[in-house]
Amino acid sequence: MLTAFGLGSNASRLGLDLAGGRLLPVGSLGELWSTYLAGWHQTGGGTASAAPASLAVLGVLGAIFTPVGGPPALVAVLLIGDAPLAGLSAYAATSRLPVSRWARAVAAVAYALLPAATASVAQGRLDVVAVHIVLPLVISGVARLLGGTGAGWLPASSICAVGVAVLGAFSPLAQGLAVLGLVIGFVVLPPGNSLLKQIASVVIVVVLPLVLLLPWPTVLVNQPALFLHGLSGPAPAPAAADLVGLDPVHVWPMGLALLVAAVVAVVIRPRALLSPGLGVLALGVCGLAVVLLVPVKPLQGGAASVGFTGVPLLVISAGLLWIILSAVPDGAVLPKLAMAGAVILLVALASGAVLAAGRGGPLHTGGGDQLAKAQADELARTGRSVLVVGTADVPTRQTGGRLPQFGDDQLVLTAGTPDRLTAWQSALRQPSSGATRAALSAAAASGALFVVLPAGQDPGPIVTLAPDLAVAVQPTVDGRAVLRLLAPSGQVVLVPPGIAKQAVTSSAPDSWSGVTPVDAALPDVRVRVSDGIAGRLLVLSAEQEAGWRATVDGKAQPIVPAWGHQVAVALPETSSEVSIEHPSTLRDVLLLVQVAAVLFAVLTSVPGSTRPR
């Protein structure tokens, strides 16, 4: 029934290549792993930020779906099949509760139809959907550890740690709440048969996920936006009525039925208040308060805003369902009145789910927008970047060799990059002679080859203002206008002395005379330059950040900022060997530590053989 519901509610977007809303197109298996393992990314002008660990999770699980499309097919199955997958997860997680199978089934279906989940599917919020599927198993694992696992404590701890790591790969907030609940439960509850084993279990579940996610946690420490906004970014704060209805996106608050059911369960059997579900509910309320009361600046720039409330509302809903199950008599058959209430609850949640998914939402099949084949091939061959101009709700993105993909928005850009991209967006959305020409010149200097304008914008005014800098070419598959930048540029360029003086004092070139592209690829550049006039610069289409090193004939040379934000090196008059690199030794070490943690988790997750006494 849940599978039929998932297919029916997503009938308008059935396919294995979903995109839209908060979901950028998912790359192939090779693209995911190359992005995750790379120490430097040609995104936003270039950044050495660690890629999100969700790429690794999708890369591992996406290999199973290689015959039908790889990671994009996996993501489509997770989104379209969210309801049945979450229902199975919730049903399995409640297997140790002393209630009938029908009560567990009703609770599992109610969990599968939560408004926060169905609305997240329609918006393409993959992080919330992943939490929706994994959360019941993690709650069950934490409860088992707190209750004592006996001889199987090590496998149980490792499996629980892996579940917490999967949560953290998609939602650091969910991981934080899970760890907080484990620590509080360990402190509050009486110790089991072996205190040392419980301490070891807590340490494993707290520490092992952090190591499994390396080097991603090093980014989270300095980026609160990733913790509070998650992978899919911020959202408008919902009204109080929507929060009471457990709905994060201003739809009919049918989740109110779940809250009423929990209140009724407590009134009928007050012992339900003593259940662990109350602790889960309290954790969700704390998470909701943090998300709504602590606005932070989004990772891609813009004004400080609150996060999406989907994950905290899922935790709150899970706590409410646990309270309801705690009110069910042990092993008893549900009375007719309770069964009628269960039917009303499921009908209300299903109606809310249909309203959320039936609205259509921005998620669609067919993948994301694409450049014409010739343009895409040239972009991949040259390694130059494409500037995709955003709108009020979508940030402007600059990516190298391809259009933006899933994972790009989670890379931490250099400090001035979001503001600069926003300034280019304003200049291109509202063309004016000086600002538009400066934006096109600056984009070309940063290595951009194509500019994709927002849907419906006419490229004519821009081409009229700067015919020597841009020309309109074949539009994208979705009909968006595309400009080709005409200035001689590339990943690496040789700048003559006259323009070099301007490069260190201004933000955009007003002349391209003598600028010569160099056949080299980022981030490690090794070229030999001939004799020339003093004052030349070798300029990279890479943002200046800590870690860049340059040598000329084996001697260290300082990095010179070009156009205010790009990496450049001053060249001598004589012929010389120039080397510029951005080493990633620390990242490689962290990846080795991660591999060791994965081996430890795999080896310790296998239960040992047991003999019946």
Side-chain angles (χ1 to χ4, degrees), residues 540-605:
L540 278 59
S541 59
E543 295 298 301
Q544 187 179 15
E545 58 182 346
W548 284 101
R549 298 188 306 192
T551 60
V552 176
D553 289 334
K555 298 181 180 179
Q557 292 291 323
I559 299 295
V560 179
W563 312 120
H565 59 95
Q566 292 180 221
V567 175
V569 177
L571 301 179
E573 300 180 31
T574 59
S575 175
S576 55
E577 297 280 349
V578 181
S579 175
I580 307 175
E581 60 182 0
H582 196 292
S584 56
T585 305
L586 177 60
R587 174 175 173 79
D588 296 339
V589 171
L590 294 178
L591 287 176
L592 290 176
V593 175
Q594 182 193 44
V595 171
V598 170
L599 293 176
F600 173 82
V602 171
L603 294 177
T604 57
S605 296

Side-chain angles (χ1 to χ4, degrees), residues 254-493:
M254 293 300 183
L256 180 62
L258 180 59
L259 182 60
V260 172
V263 172
V264 172
V266 171
V267 171
I268 295 176
R269 301 200 72 185
R271 76 163 194 173
L273 281 177
L274 303 177
S275 72
L278 185 61
V280 177
L281 174 62
L283 283 175
V285 172
C286 291
L288 182 65
V290 171
V291 168
L292 293 179
L293 298 179
V294 185
V296 293
K297 187 175 182 180
L299 198 62
Q300 301 299 317
S305 58
V306 300
F308 185 66
T309 57
V311 170
L313 289 179
L314 287 179
V315 179
I316 291 174
S317 302
L320 292 174
L321 285 170
W322 199 345
I323 291 175
I324 294 173
L325 284 177
S326 299
V328 177
D330 297 351
V333 179
L334 291 177
K336 293 183 178 180
L337 183 60
M339 294 184 66
V343 171
I344 295 174
L345 171 63
L346 296 184
V347 170
L349 292 177
S351 302
V354 169
L355 289 173
R359 293 174 304 149
L363 185 68
H364 60 82
T365 188
D369 201 1
Q370 298 178 3
L371 294 171
K373 188 178 185 306
Q375 299 170 4
D377 292 343
E378 183 180 6
L379 204 63
R381 183 179 66 255
T382 61
R384 293 181 64 179
S385 60
V386 56
L387 180 68
V388 182
V389 181
T391 59
D393 300 327
V394 180
T396 296
R397 303 180 177 99
Q398 183 180 9
T399 53
R402 56 170 175 77
L403 288 175
Q405 291 182 352
F406 176 78
D408 291 344
D409 284 351
Q410 289 73 50
L411 296 174
V412 181
L413 307 181
T414 56
T417 298
D419 293 338
R420 183 174 63 258
L421 294 177
T422 301
W424 292 354
Q425 172 182 320
S426 300
L428 295 174
R429 291 296 308 275
Q430 300 175 346
S432 62
S433 180
T436 300
R437 290 185 61 87
L440 293 174
S441 295
S446 68
L449 178 59
F450 297 107
V451 177
V452 180
L453 298 178
Q457 181 173 347
D458 181 14
I462 297 178
V463 175
T464 301
L465 291 173
D468 56 326
L469 294 177
V471 61
V473 293
Q474 186 176 353
T476 66
V477 173
D478 288 350
R480 299 175 64 179
V482 179
L483 300 175
R484 180 188 179 90
L485 301 183
L486 303 177
S489 183
Q491 295 190 60
V492 184
V493 296

Side-chain angles (χ1 to χ4, degrees), residues 42-335:
Q42 199 175 353
T43 300
T47 175
S49 167
S54 57
L55 296 181
V57 176
L58 295 179
V60 171
L61 299 179
I64 304 174
F65 289 78
T66 299
V68 293
L74 167 64
V75 171
V77 169
L78 293 177
L79 292 171
I80 296 176
D82 169 64
L85 291 175
L88 288 173
S89 172
Y91 186 77
T94 56
S95 61
R96 293 178 178 270
L97 296 181
V99 295
S100 66
R101 292 183 176 181
W102 280 108
R104 291 171 51 208
V106 169
V109 173
Y111 180 81
L113 300 177
L114 291 177
T118 52
S120 298
V121 170
Q123 291 192 1
R125 291 185 179 270
L126 179 61
D127 52 346
V128 182
V129 172
V131 172
H132 186 219
I133 297 172
V134 179
L135 181 62
L137 299 176
V138 172
I139 293 177
S140 175
V142 170
R144 183 184 178 190
L145 292 181
L146 293 176
T149 57
W153 68 273
L154 183 56
S157 301
S158 296
I159 293 174
C160 184
V162 172
V164 173
V166 173
L167 275 186
F170 290 93
S171 174
L173 176 62
Q175 179 186 4
L177 293 177
V179 171
L180 180 62
L182 174 64
V183 174
I184 293 177
F186 173 74
V187 173
V188 173
L189 297 178
N193 296 331
S194 176
L195 180 60
L196 292 179
K197 289 182 179 180
Q198 273 199 317
I199 293 175
S201 296
V202 171
V203 171
I204 289 175
V205 176
V206 172
V207 176
L208 184 57
L210 296 176
V211 184
L212 287 173
L213 296 176
L214 285 175
W216 178 238
T218 61
V219 178
L220 298 176
V221 172
N222 299 315
Q223 298 297 329
L226 285 172
F227 185 83
L228 297 177
H229 292 172
L231 271 63
S232 57
D242 298 313
L243 293 178
V244 173
L246 306 178
D247 199 317
V249 291
H250 308 291
V251 192
W252 295 101
M254 293 300 183
L256 180 62
L258 180 59
L259 182 60
V260 172
V263 172
V264 172
V266 171
V267 171
I268 295 176
R269 301 200 72 185
R271 76 163 194 173
L273 281 177
L274 303 177
S275 72
L278 185 61
V280 177
L281 174 62
L283 283 175
V285 172
C286 291
L288 182 65
V290 171
V291 168
L292 293 179
L293 298 179
V294 185
V296 293
K297 187 175 182 180
L299 198 62
Q300 301 299 317
S305 58
V306 300
F308 185 66
T309 57
V311 170
L313 289 179
L314 287 179
V315 179
I316 291 174
S317 302
L320 292 174
L321 285 170
W322 199 345
I323 291 175
I324 294 173
L325 284 177
S326 299
V328 177
D330 297 351
V333 179
L334 291 177

